[in-house]
């Protein structure tokens, strides 16, 4: 899929270009395209789409627009328009799939050719870049802050490229042909003095000196009238040189033309007659675009010869692939180096084996033409275990020697050396690559002091100090995206071999955790065995324990384990122990409280250790406060803890983690369903530091952040010998999984829980697990399965004499009958529930039973009795502080009023219900309320409001992948127009 934004926004679907018809989706797509290097948070998208008038349902509407765009783009799987917390991101397969990116690439290539003196090639590239424009950028997109800023930036870039192309054409002698275009350009951009200067020069070289001076008078008058200022110094200087007849303004010629014997200089278009030999030489020199001035070293000056510019870059890595977004960011450095007050600095930070040096060297070779005074390189050995980091003074000496500074002039004092480096680099355009830096203190003395230079630093540390004090751009290098990992393998193994075994290649990429070093080692092994199928290589990597050995190419820098060890050995004892224990954590990510439990530390100590690990990229803070590491680092940590920690220490750490998860989940669950019964737990072990959220919203937020970890912990508990945790944790999670619509997880966890509870011999726990399994089966519409589970639970609970548990199971059984339309059977069960709840004195349970009784009565046609029971239920819920129960009761009241033809009252009730579910994060409940709200609004005659409610409901149901989405979609189709 390709996109164009240099003009109206258009999409190429493989056959033709077409627009996006609706304004809001068009704005959304434009925003994601102009911010394609990073995910755009939902909040920023809302500000872009609506500004200060952002509606309350903005998040739901954005989801609808995203789904609509995915349908229009044929991207139903979300591989192009990717959901990437905290928002969404466009992921393009190729940089040139966006015309603005192709424009930037062609413009940069043209400028490089122009700087190298190849004016013809430059003119062609720059003209090709300008040909991509079809009008003002994003001209048909309603502008928000980001789109407006990008359109302005692109317009400015277009003018820059236009001036560069005119400069190239002037160097090629196309003066007369440029005059009409330049006259039009100064009319469109009257305050752009560079265009006026080029117009003057084109006129002058075309033999139209008077018109050139008239152009100067015109811009002088314009600037005085509009801005009350004089023309800039370059423009004034150009006028004076024209008045003096400066021969250097004449038509440039190639060196070959200048040396050609017998050529009649006066026959050339636009040049005066009677020029001497000196004039011809002057024109010959001016033909070539001057390079930035380069100041020779003292030693070279003594010898009377210019020094050779240093070219210290090691060879670029063969088979480099991917990293397009990172390369785009690095490509901004040359311009930043010229525009800023000091050097442009970029720090490439990332975990061991992420390809930091490969990226830096690949880009440095590509950018070398921008730095004609040379490229300097040093390996600072920041994490070398044997030698330790190189001192800044030693690195500076190497740079000074490369710049031809005599040894006797290099001072001993580090501060003096740094000062001399700044002196020697002043006024030069140099590129520095500082590889494997330990910290900001090692780098700072190596930085040049003036503009014109760019510095690329690679480090396993974050080096945030350089961003604070030196304005460095921080580029964090993660593992490769899946498609770029495939490109890397294709570059090293050959595209045919990769294409021949797509499934093994996909598995190989996953087994290597998309880590460039691991992929490179694996590719090297495969290259060395050309007769082997890639599936055989994959088989060697499947064994987690042996995977790190399989990823050893026999040299330190080519061994994944060895490279990891260089970072691990830099850790202090406590942090190293915590890293090892992280290998026991089964979740995909982790937060400080869980790590504190795992390591037996305070939360503050755990947070500090996590920060230290992230600083050297042994883990990554992928979301604020949440850390993860890829599978190879996990395997490394697991190997370390097995080798260095005792079995007793590992078991104790896992017990603390399990207790932390279980008791935190139990505390959070009480806020979601306070009326539900629960099995008593033993107290948490010392050091497990469980959380206790305050209120419903905080409990839901905690579950949202931790639910994936909790699922992984529950799966790991039984095999680790903790059967109690294996069934108690799924029960503690059940209400969250229900309320948040994660019903497949709800079903699978309860099946695991039943097995674990039986294995432990806990009858009450087994009954609760059967009941919860029945609830999940009802939600999935598996009614026969639900009845079997619920009747098994009742049998166990009656044997135990547990009235509260029986009431809960009977209410669930009544719900199953309701879902099948048998309201008389359901009413019989919920009346039994009310008797049991009164027997145990549970007010919240009584309110829930009354609501259920009202629901059954209205379906049996007795609406007045239903209203009376539900109003009593609502009073008990509100008196007892159960707002979630109140939301369910408002839902029933809405249904009763609608059934009685009281549509205005139904609308009010459903809105109360919707607001209640939305406030408590019950996504399905909110969607169901919106579905029914739309029906009642339609009966009041407000068709537009009804469709808005259904659209909002559909967005949620599609996100949940719920079958009810088809019902709402059909409603929208049948009521269209």
């Amino acid at each position: 899929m390709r996109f164009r934004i240099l003009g109206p926004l258009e999409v190429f679907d493989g056959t033709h270009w077409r627009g996006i018809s609706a304004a809001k989706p068009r704005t959304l797509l434009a925003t994601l395209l102009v911010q394609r290097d990073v995910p755009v948070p939902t909040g920023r998208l809302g500000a872009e789409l609506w500004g200060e008038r952002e509606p309350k349902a903005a998040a739901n509407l954005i989801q609808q627009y995203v789904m609509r765009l995915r349908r229009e783009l044929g991207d139903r799987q979300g591989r192009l328009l990717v959901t990437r917390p905290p928002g969404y991101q466009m992921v393009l397969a190729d940089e040139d799939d966006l015309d603005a990116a192709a424009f930037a690439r062609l413009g940069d290539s043209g400028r490089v050719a122009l700087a190298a003196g190849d004016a013809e090639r430059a003119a062609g590239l720059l003209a090709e870049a300008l040909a991509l424009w079809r009008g003002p950028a994003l001209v048909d997109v309603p502008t928000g802050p980001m789109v407006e800023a990008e359109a302005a930036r692109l317009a400015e870039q277009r003018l820059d490229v236009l001036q560069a192309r005119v400069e190239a054409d002037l160097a090629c002698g196309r003066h007369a042909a440029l005059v009409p275009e330049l006259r039009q350009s100064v009319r469109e951009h009257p305050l752009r003095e560079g265009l006026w200067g080029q117009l003057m020069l084109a006129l002058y070289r075309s033999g139209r000196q008077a018109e050139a001076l008239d152009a100067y008078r015109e811009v002088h008058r314009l600037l005085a009238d509009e801005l009350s200022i004089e023309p800039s110094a370059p423009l004034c200087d150009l006028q004076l040189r024209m008045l003096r007849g400066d021969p250097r303004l004449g038509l440039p010629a190639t060196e070959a033309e200048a040396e050609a014997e017998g050529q009649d200089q006066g026959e050339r278009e636009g040049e005066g007659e009677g020029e001497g030999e000196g004039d011809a030489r002057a024109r010959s020199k001016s033909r070539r675009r001057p390079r930035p001035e380069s100041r020779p070293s003292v030693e070279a000056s003594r010898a009377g010869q210019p020094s050779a510019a240093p070219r210290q870059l090691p060879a670029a890595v063969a088979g480099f692939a991917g990293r397009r977004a990172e390369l785009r960011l690095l490509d901004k450095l040359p311009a930043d180096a010229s525009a800023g007050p000091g050097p442009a600095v970029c720090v490439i930070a990332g975990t061991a084996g992420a390809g930091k040096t490969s990226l830096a060297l690949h880009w440095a070779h590509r950018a070398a033409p921008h730095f004609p005074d040379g490229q300097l390189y040093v390996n600072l050995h920041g994490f070398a275990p044997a030698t330790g980091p190189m001192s800044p003074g030693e690195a500076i000496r190497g740079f000074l020697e490369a710049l031809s500074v005599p040894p006797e002039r290099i001072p001993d004092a580090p501060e003096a050396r740094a000062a001399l480096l700044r002196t020697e680099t002043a006024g030069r355009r140099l590129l520095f690559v500082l590889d494997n830096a330990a910290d900001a203190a090692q780098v700072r003395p190596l930085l040049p002091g003036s503009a014109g230079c760019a510095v690329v630093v690679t480090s396993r540390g974050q080096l945030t100090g350089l961003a604070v004090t030196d304005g460095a751009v921080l580029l964090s290098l993660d593992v490769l995206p899946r498609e770029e990992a495939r490109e890397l393998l294709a570059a090293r193994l050959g595209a045919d071999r990769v294409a021949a075994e797509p499934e093994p290649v996909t598995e190989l990429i996953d087994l290597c955790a998309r880590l460039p070093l691991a992929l490179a080692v694996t590719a090297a092994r495969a290259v060395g065995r050309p007769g082997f199928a890639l599936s055989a290589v994959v088989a060697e990597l499947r064994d987690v324990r042996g995977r790190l050995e399989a990823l050893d190419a026999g040299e330190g820098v080519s061994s994944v384990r060895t490279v990891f060890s260089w970072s691990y050995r830099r850790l202090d004892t406590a942090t190293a122990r915590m890293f090892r224990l992280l290998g026991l954590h089964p979740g995909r990510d982790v937060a400080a409280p869980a790590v504190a439990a795992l390591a037996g530390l305070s939360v503050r100590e755990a947070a500090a250790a996590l920060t230290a690990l992230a600083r050297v990229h042994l883990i990554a803070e992928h979301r604020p406060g949440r850390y993860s590491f890829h599978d190879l680092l996990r395997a490394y940590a697991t190997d370390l803890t097995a080798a260095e920690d005792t079995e007793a220490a590992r078991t104790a750490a896992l017990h603390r983690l399990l207790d932390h998860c279980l008791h935190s989940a139990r505390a959070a669950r009480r806020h979601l369903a306070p009326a539900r019964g629960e099995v008593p737990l033993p107290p948490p072990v010392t050091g497990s530091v469980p959380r206790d959220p305050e209120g419903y919203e905080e409990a839901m937020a905690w579950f949202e952040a931790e639910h994936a970890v909790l699922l992984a912990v529950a799966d790991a508990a039984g095999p680790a010998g903790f059967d109690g945790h294996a069934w108690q944790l799924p029960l503690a999670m059940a209400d969250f999984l229900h309320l948040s619509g994660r019903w497949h997880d709800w079903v699978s966890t309860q099946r695991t829980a039943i097995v674990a509870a039986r294995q432990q011999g806990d009858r009450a726990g087994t009954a609760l697990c059967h009941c919860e399994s029945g609830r999940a089966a009802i939600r999935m519409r598996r009614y026969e399965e639900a009845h079997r589970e619920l009747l098994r639970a009742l049998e166990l609970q009656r044997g135990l004499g547990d009235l509260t548990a029986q009431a809960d199971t009977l209410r669930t059984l009544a719900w199953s009958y309701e879902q099948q339309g048998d309201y008389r059977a359901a009413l019989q069960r919920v009346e039994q529930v009310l008797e049991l709840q009164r027997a145990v004195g549970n007010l919240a349970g009584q309110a829930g039973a009354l609501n259920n009784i009202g629901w059954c009565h209205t379906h049996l046609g007795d609406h007045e009795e239903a209203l009376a029971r539900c109003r009593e239920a609502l009073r008990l819920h509100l008196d007892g502080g159960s707002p979630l129960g109140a939301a369910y009761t408002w839902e029933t009241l809405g249904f009763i009023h609608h059934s009685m033809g009281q549509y205005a009252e139904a609308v009010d009730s459903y809105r109360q219900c919707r607001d209640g579910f939305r406030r408590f994060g019950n996504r399905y409940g909110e969607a169901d309320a919106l579905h029914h709200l739309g029906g009642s609004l339609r009966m009041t005659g407000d068709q537009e409001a009804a469709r808005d409610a259904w659209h909002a409901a559909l967005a949620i149901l599609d996100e949940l992948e719920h079958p009810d989405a088809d019902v709402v979609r059909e409603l929208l189709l049948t009521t269209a127009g």
Side-chain angles (χ1 to χ4, degrees), residues 922-940:
N922 186 337
R923 302 284 287 154
Y924 176 75
E926 180 184 352
D928 198 43
L930 285 164
H931 176 186
H932 295 299
L933 173 61
S936 295
L937 283 165
R938 184 186 182 193
M939 296 305 295
T940 67

Side-chain angles (χ1 to χ4, degrees), residues 171 250-258 265 268 271 280 282-288:
L251 175 66
T254 65
E255 194 168 330
E257 289 170 338
Q265 301 290 331
R268 296 184 183 178
E271 292 184 359
R283 289 197 312 276
S284 174
K285 291 177 181 177
S286 67
R287 169 66 170 169
R288 296 184 298 278

Side-chain angles (χ1 to χ4, degrees), residues 634-827:
R634 181 187 299 277
Y636 180 60
T638 302
D639 284 356
L640 286 173
T641 192
E644 299 185 29
D645 299 308
T646 66
E647 183 177 356
R650 296 195 301 272
T651 301
L654 190 56
H655 195 172
R656 289 191 299 269
L657 174 65
L658 290 168
D659 267 16
H660 166 82
C661 293
L662 175 59
H663 285 270
S664 298
R666 173 68 69 89
R669 175 192 175 278
R670 292 192 187 103
H671 295 292
L672 306 187
R676 298 286 305 282
E678 57 187 30
V679 175
L681 295 178
V685 295
T686 302
S688 58
V689 290
R691 300 283 305 276
D692 188 2
E694 295 182 7
Y696 186 99
E697 293 184 21
E698 188 174 323
M700 284 296 291
W702 183 84
F703 269 123
E704 283 287 353
E706 298 290 347
H707 77 274
V709 169
L710 297 176
L711 291 171
V713 169
D715 284 342
F722 293 90
D723 288 325
H725 295 80
W727 66 264
Q728 291 159 356
L729 188 51
L731 281 180
M733 297 176 64
D735 287 291
F736 165 75
L737 296 174
H738 181 197
L739 294 171
S740 63
R742 294 176 170 88
W743 300 332
H744 293 284
D745 290 336
W746 191 13
V747 169
S748 63
T749 54
Q750 295 313 311
R751 288 173 179 165
T752 302
I754 291 170
V755 173
R758 283 177 179 165
Q759 191 162 326
Q760 199 182 32
D762 192 308
R763 296 178 67 201
T766 303
L768 279 176
C769 293
H770 277 295
C771 182
E772 206 59 58
S773 179
R775 290 179 72 209
I778 294 168
R779 182 50 79 190
M780 298 297 289
R781 299 178 181 175
R782 302 171 184 167
Y783 300 116
E784 291 185 7
E785 177 185 335
H787 288 178
R788 287 196 303 272
E789 295 291 338
L790 294 170
L791 292 175
R792 179 60 180 150
L794 271 176
E795 179 185 353
L796 290 168
Q797 289 159 350
R798 284 169 178 157
L800 295 167
D802 190 336
L803 300 184
T804 299
Q806 290 176 52
D808 196 40
T809 302
L810 283 167
R811 184 176 62 182
T812 305
L813 188 59
W815 180 37
S816 73
Y817 286 122
E818 289 173 18
Q819 294 297 300
Q820 297 171 83
D822 189 350
Y823 290 98
R824 292 200 180 279
L827 181 60

Side-chain angles (χ1 to χ4, degrees), residues 517-518 520-522 524-525 548-563 566:
L517 174 60
V521 172
T522 303
R525 290 170 67 89
L548 291 176
E549 282 70 24
L551 295 174
D552 186 347
E555 302 176 28
V557 294
S558 300
S559 165
V560 172
R561 185 193 298 277
T562 300
V563 170
W566 294 344

Side-chain angles (χ1 to χ4, degrees), residues 220-236:
H220 186 285
R221 183 170 57 253
L222 177 71
L223 294 172
D225 292 345
E226 295 288 334
L227 303 175
S228 300
I229 62 174
E230 296 286 325
S232 63
L235 210 57
C236 292

